[in-house]
Amino acid sequence: GKSIPYSVPPPRQATREANKLEKASGNFNTHGKKEAQLHMNSKQSILNRRGVLKGPSRANLSSAEQEWEKEQQRLATLKNKREQMTNWRAKQLYGTRTERAELKEERRGDMLRAKMIKQANIQREMELDKKENDRVAAYNLKMERLHAQREQARRSYLTHIAQENRKLEQYRRRKQEVSALKEQVDSQKSPDFFARFGRNAL
């Protein structure tokens, strides 16, 4: 076949092209190193670490379930009260004479029951107050008796100490008297006494 002509660039153009290729390869290597370094830094960053996802504990779960049940019971009670009030209003406004009379008796019964519950609560509170007052009175009486016993023991102890001090003081005086008498007898028996007063001085 035909040979493809190959044109050799001039020396200056070849040098320029070689410089461009070298610069391009240098930029590529530098950019690659920067990307690798950024990749390593981002890989080691704590912001990129995946945390361990944990579910709620059993205690928190059971507590949440209990709170949910309480809330559902409260909502159910509120709903029943609203329905009851709606039925009462409907009977009061649009009901027959018999329904109104029944509603009146029902309301009267509710009032009586509420009054009985209130009286029972008052009676229970009075009983609790009486028990508390009795407990406080018994405690105060016990403390007064204990204080009286301590005061009596203190007085007895002070009386005993006073008696012991009097006995000790009497013993000291008696000892001093005996010592003085002994010194007097010893002085009379000494040679100086006889030399001064004679043998017939005793």
Side-chain angles (χ1 to χ4, degrees), residues 8 24 30 44 59 70 76 84 98 101 105-106 114 136 144 146 158 161 171 174 178 183 185 194:
V8 179
T30 305
Q44 294 176 358
K70 290 180 181 179
Q84 189 176 10
T98 304
E105 289 296 328
E106 185 178 356
V136 172
E144 289 177 358
L146 182 61
L158 293 177
I161 292 297
Y171 172 75
R174 182 62 179 169
V178 171
E183 289 179 358
V185 172
F194 290 109

Side-chain angles (χ1 to χ4, degrees), residues 20-60:
K20 290 181 180 180
L21 290 175
E22 185 178 359
K23 187 181 293 186
S25 62
N27 293 334
F28 176 78
N29 293 333
T30 305
H31 184 67
K33 289 181 181 179
K34 290 182 179 180
E35 285 186 351
Q37 186 176 3
L38 290 174
H39 179 69
M40 290 297 294
N41 293 333
S42 62
K43 191 174 183 180
Q44 294 176 358
S45 177
I46 192 172
L47 298 176
N48 296 325
R49 295 179 184 175
R50 294 185 179 180
V52 180
L53 298 178
K54 296 182 179 179
S57 62
R58 294 182 179 179
N60 294 336

